[in-house]
Amino acid sequence: MKWTLLHEHHGLRSFLLVLDKGEEAHAAITAFASEQDINAASLSAIGAASSATLGYFDPETSSYLDTEFNEQMELASCLGDIADDHGKPALHAHIVLGRRDYSAVAGHLQKLHVFPTMEIILTESPAHLRKRMDDATGLALIDPSRSHGG
């Protein structure tokens, strides 16, 4: 992965991350957040992948149902956030992947093997927008009791 700091203001930073062929996106983004001590951020990305595992959250079981896609796909959209999970960054992202026949699949990003590239803009969140992990669902949720206007 290559990265650069795009902007820093009042302790909040924005980064450009560029993942290389073969990198696994979920692990790379999470490792970067850990190395940079980022525990609250939003991100968006585009690119392409040679394979991906997407999850669908099943509220009845409070778990993800995973499906693998082993084909070349365009990463048409990736939106997500990073929240603090007991002192470690937890990535929560949803992606839309375009297939060769122009159909699309979408879901929770579990794994994505980049090919040939993935470009990510990651921006730290101010304290009043920070999320917390909900132990009942395992999802990163905004805590209204901790959120307030700037």
Side-chain angles (χ1 to χ4, degrees), residues 97-149:
L97 296 166
R99 300 171 106 175
R100 184 181 185 102
D101 66 0
Y102 298 99
S103 65
V105 293
H108 179 87
L109 171 62
Q110 303 290 36
K111 287 185 180 179
L112 183 136
H113 289 95
V114 173
F115 190 85
T117 192
M118 182 174 179
E119 303 159 348
I120 304 153
I121 301 295
L122 188 145
T123 304
E124 284 185 299
S125 301
H128 67 277
L129 293 178
R130 301 226 169 166
K131 294 186 173 197
R132 67 165 180 79
M133 291 303 292
D134 176 53
D135 291 332
T137 62
L139 300 175
L141 304 173
I142 292 176
D143 182 352
S145 68
R146 293 175 36 191
S147 298
H148 54 83

Side-chain angles (χ1 to χ4, degrees), residues 14-78:
S14 293
F15 298 90
L16 167 66
L17 291 77
V18 179
L19 276 60
D20 295 320
K21 296 176 188 87
E23 287 190 88
E24 197 286 297
H26 194 286
I29 295 166
T30 302
F32 177 83
S34 183
E35 290 164 9
Q36 295 296 318
D37 196 29
I38 297 170
N39 63 6
S42 61
L43 64 92
S44 61
I46 58 171
S50 59
S51 67
T53 301
L54 303 182
Y56 172 83
F57 184 73
D58 183 346
E60 292 181 18
T61 63
S62 289
S63 63
Y64 286 92
L65 306 173
D66 293 345
T67 301
E68 287 186 38
F69 298 89
N70 292 304
E71 60 191 91
Q72 184 65 31
M73 297 167 286
E74 294 290 328
L75 176 55
S77 177
C78 175

